[in-house]
Amino acid sequence: MDQKRRALHWVIRVGSLRTYLDFASDVIGLRVLRHEEFDSGCEATCNGPYGGAWSKTMIGTGPEEVTFAMEITYNYGINGYSFGNDLQYLALAVPSAMRRAKALGYSVDEAKGIIHGPDNYNFRVCEPVPGRAEQFAAVGLRVSDLERSKAYWCGLLGMTELPVPPSLATDDPSALVSFGDGQVALQLIQVSDGQAVEHSESGGRIAFACESVPPIHEAVSAAGHTVLTPPLTLPTPGKADVVVTILADPDGYEICFVEDVAFYQLAEPLYDVVDWAARTARGGDGAPPPQHEEIEHGPLMDSAATVDELKAKMDAAGDRPVVLDFGASWCKKCKKIAPFMEEQAASFSQAKFILIDIAAAEDIAMEYDVSAVPRVLVYRGGEKVADYAGSTEADLRRLLSENVGGAAA
């Protein structure tokens, strides 16, 4: 697993992109590097466990190949998140930020050098290091056992422990670990209040670039630690496909490793301008949500809007196989395969087909861990026997034939 690795970005979720970008620009001097809008959830759960429309905005001071960034994710229809106690702060060497924050009315703790930003995220102002261009210094994380965390991050992943500079000193025991002097570090802090690490809905993740993902995945798996997502190729139309794996440390912090060459091609800064009018039309950033259009379906396809309703219909199916067809009215592929799924409901009449519109039933999407559509799950006797993500008709027909039974004559 001995290869070059580099800290790329920290991911956060916000309830208003406009509010957050105003703060980032006016207080800590970050700009939009690239912005993308998506119709359905990320296969690698970049936007969290949400299956609906979302956006990703990378902000920083320069190209992601040489500087650290923040990935701002926004899920349409969600205007706020419960906040845990995990992320303590993001530390930046921007001394003027404290003055600007006070002038703009943000809450600050000057004694601790903390600026309280939107959505409960804190920023710690630290002293610049002479000759170091990178403004981000560290990501401060609460840990439950400092020695155990150091064993994971340094012993397993290969980070190096560095001296904690005076401007990042803490009252509680802490360790600064990094993949290289000059890179953005993780500051592991064993907070002495006795509370367990709580990630809640706002929990983010750290991303690192590496030369190759499989050796990291293999080493972590062999050590018996948690792998949330095995190596996965994420296609990006018109751009490079990237290979990622998602891990979790002993305290449940999500860690993304992505292969560097493809990522840096993908991450070329475009300095995009956010289309605020388009976001408003979609109900973004506090704007009224657009009127929901239900997915059209024929008489052979049932539907469910709540977890309780779905469970009741699955129970009522008895011994019949149940096919859950997850889609959304804004999903082009879902609309494309809708007539095909109607035909399959007629052909496989021994099964019960239930359509779930994740735009109207996000609680069902979360309950069944559906973060992207189209998605088809097959259940027998209450147990999941098949799972398919995609819209290839041949694959869907094979899935049904193998798990539902022969088509009715």
Side-chain angles (χ1 to χ4, degrees):
M1 200 175 70
D2 187 21
Q3 54 173 299
K4 295 179 181 178
R5 294 174 292 281
R6 180 181 158 266
L8 291 174
H9 54 256
W10 179 265
V11 182
I12 66 171
R13 302 182 194 122
V14 301
S16 170
L17 180 62
R18 185 188 290 272
T19 298
Y20 213 90
L21 292 188
D22 285 346
F23 168 82
S25 172
D26 297 344
V27 176
I28 54 180
L30 305 181
R31 65 179 299 184
V32 173
L33 303 175
R34 51 193 177 96
H35 174 83
E36 297 175 87
E37 299 276 344
F38 302 91
D39 287 334
S40 60
C42 173
E43 193 174 355
T45 64
C46 306
N47 63 315
Y50 304 97
W54 66 290
S55 67
K56 174 175 69 178
T57 311
M58 306 302 300
I59 61 174
T61 58
E64 293 169 67
E65 188 170 358
V66 293
T67 59
F68 193 78
M70 292 179 65
E71 178 177 317
I72 314 300
T73 61
Y74 174 86
N75 290 289
Y76 283 91
I78 301 178
N79 296 320
Y81 301 89
S82 59
F83 199 87
N85 62 8
D86 47 0
L87 176 63
Q88 302 299 288
Y89 48 72
L90 287 100
L92 300 101
V94 186
S96 60
M98 184 67 69
R99 171 179 51 80
R100 293 197 293 263
K102 290 173 61 178
L104 292 170
Y106 291 98
S107 174
V108 302
D109 183 337
E110 290 191 80
K112 295 182 178 180
I114 297 292
I115 298 170
H116 303 291
D119 293 276
N120 294 309
Y121 293 108
N122 293 330
F123 293 83
R124 181 169 181 173
V125 179
C126 61
E127 292 298 320
V129 175
R132 187 174 188 264
E134 174 65 71
Q135 291 188 354
F136 282 96
V139 180
L141 303 176
R142 173 193 288 258
V143 299
S144 57
D145 184 325
L146 184 58
E147 292 306 315
R148 181 181 65 171
S149 293
K150 285 164 55 176
Y152 181 89
W153 291 97
C154 297
L156 178 59
L157 296 187
M159 284 184 146
T160 299
E161 185 173 358
L162 305 173
V164 178
S167 60
L168 288 178
T170 60
D171 295 333
D172 298 304
S174 74
L176 200 66
V177 298
S178 171
F179 279 126
D181 195 14
Q183 285 195 41
V184 173
L186 296 182
Q187 187 172 11
L188 310 173
I189 308 168
Q190 187 171 319
V191 183
S192 58
D193 58 9
Q195 296 182 22
V197 178
E198 180 186 354
H199 298 291
S200 196
E201 296 174 340
S202 64
R205 70 169 51 149
I206 185 73
F208 298 102
C210 64
E211 293 177 341
S212 178
V213 158
I216 296 173
H217 167 257
E218 292 164 8
V220 172
S221 297
H225 286 280
T226 302
V227 175
L228 299 175
T229 304
L232 172 71
T233 299
L234 297 176
T236 307
K239 297 182 180 180
D241 294 346
V242 295
V243 178
V244 305
T245 189
I246 311 298
L247 316 173
D249 87 335
D251 284 307
Y253 286 103
E254 294 187 8
I255 309 156
C256 173
F257 278 96
V258 55
E259 293 185 353
D260 50 14
V261 174
F263 177 80
Y264 292 140
Q265 293 174 2
L266 172 71
E268 182 179 353
L270 301 175
Y271 304 109
D272 294 313
V273 176
V274 178
D275 189 338
W276 297 112
R279 291 180 63 85
T280 298
R282 300 182 74 172
D285 311 308
Q291 185 175 357
H292 174 67
E293 297 180 7
E294 294 185 357
I295 302 176
E296 296 182 2
H297 62 89
L300 298 177
M301 295 280 287
D302 203 345
S303 63
T306 68
V307 171
D308 289 342
E309 180 186 8
L310 176 59
K311 289 184 176 179
K313 291 184 176 183
M314 292 177 71
D315 290 342
D319 295 333
R320 298 173 64 193
V322 177
V323 179
L324 303 185
D325 178 13
F326 287 86
S329 56
W330 37 257
C331 171
K332 293 180 181 179
K333 290 183 178 180
C334 300
K335 291 181 178 179
K336 181 181 178 181
I337 66 169
F340 171 80
M341 292 301 293
E342 286 282 349
E343 293 173 3
Q344 303 316 297
S347 297
F348 296 91
S349 57
Q350 70 271 37
K352 183 174 184 62
F353 282 69
I354 304 176
L355 179 66
I356 297 105
D357 182 352
I358 65 170
E362 189 158 300
D363 59 336
I364 298 180
M366 294 181 67
E367 177 76 11
Y368 288 83
D369 196 25
V370 173
S371 60
V373 289
R375 180 91 169 267
V376 175
L377 309 181
V378 181
Y379 282 78
R380 278 183 173 273
E383 298 294 326
K384 184 170 69 172
V385 296
D387 185 338
Y388 175 73
S391 58
T392 303
E393 293 183 2
D395 291 342
L396 284 165
R397 188 179 292 109
R398 186 182 310 110
L399 177 93
L400 296 172
S401 297
E402 293 176 353
N403 296 282
V404 172

